[in-house]
Amino acid sequence: MSGPHDVAVLVRVERRRRWSDDEKLAILKETTEPGAIMAVVARRHGIGTGQLYTWRRQLLRGAMAGFVPVELVPDAPTVPSVSQGRIDIRARGGFTVSVDSLVDRGALKMVLELVGELEL
């Protein structure tokens, strides 16, 4: 005896999806592109906008291990040591003028002239 009020209910067990940290980061990067709309990005990936905001908050807090991106850059070229090419000029009176390879020639000339004029 089926009547007009009989209702069929379909039950489907939905499994929770697991997103890797790289997938989360890639989805969040989409939201930062010019003109990106959170709702559109969320719909494209089948998630709610609340999930995006949660991931973003976790990223900002650094709450998820391995979630914060790391960029490796090559070592900066080594700068020669200031002591390399260093010259110490000992003057009468017990003082020393020290210059390195980065000294301005005009300034060095002026200092040496002044030292030469000193009577110690």
Side-chain angles (χ1 to χ4, degrees):
M1 302 199 52
S2 62
H5 297 293
D6 288 343
V7 178
V9 178
L10 297 176
V11 178
R12 181 176 78 179
V13 177
E14 193 165 321
R15 299 172 75 181
R16 245 182 191 191
R17 288 180 287 173
R18 303 274 181 206
W19 299 90
S20 72
D21 292 343
D22 290 335
E23 291 169 323
K24 291 175 187 179
L25 189 58
I27 293 170
L28 285 175
K29 280 184 180 180
E30 286 182 38
T31 66
T32 62
E33 293 175 6
I37 300 170
M38 293 288 270
V40 173
V41 174
R43 196 174 310 123
R44 184 177 324 131
H45 294 283
I47 57 178
T49 54
Q51 186 67 63
L52 288 176
Y53 288 110
T54 298
W55 288 348
R56 185 163 56 177
R57 188 173 56 249
Q58 289 171 336
L59 173 64
L60 292 174
R61 269 196 260 145
M64 299 174 64
F67 193 78
V68 177
V70 175
E71 182 180 346
L72 299 176
V73 294
D75 290 338
T78 56
V79 177
S81 170
V82 174
S83 64
Q84 209 171 18
R86 182 181 184 132
I87 300 172
D88 291 332
I89 303 167
R90 296 192 197 318
R92 290 175 295 195
F95 70 92
T96 304
V97 176
S98 298
V99 294
D100 61 28
S101 60
L102 302 176
V103 70
D104 176 79
R105 291 179 84 140
L108 177 60
K109 181 179 178 189
M110 188 175 4
V111 168
L112 292 177
E113 287 172 357
L114 289 172
V115 169
E117 292 173 6
L118 292 177
E119 291 182 27
L120 299 172

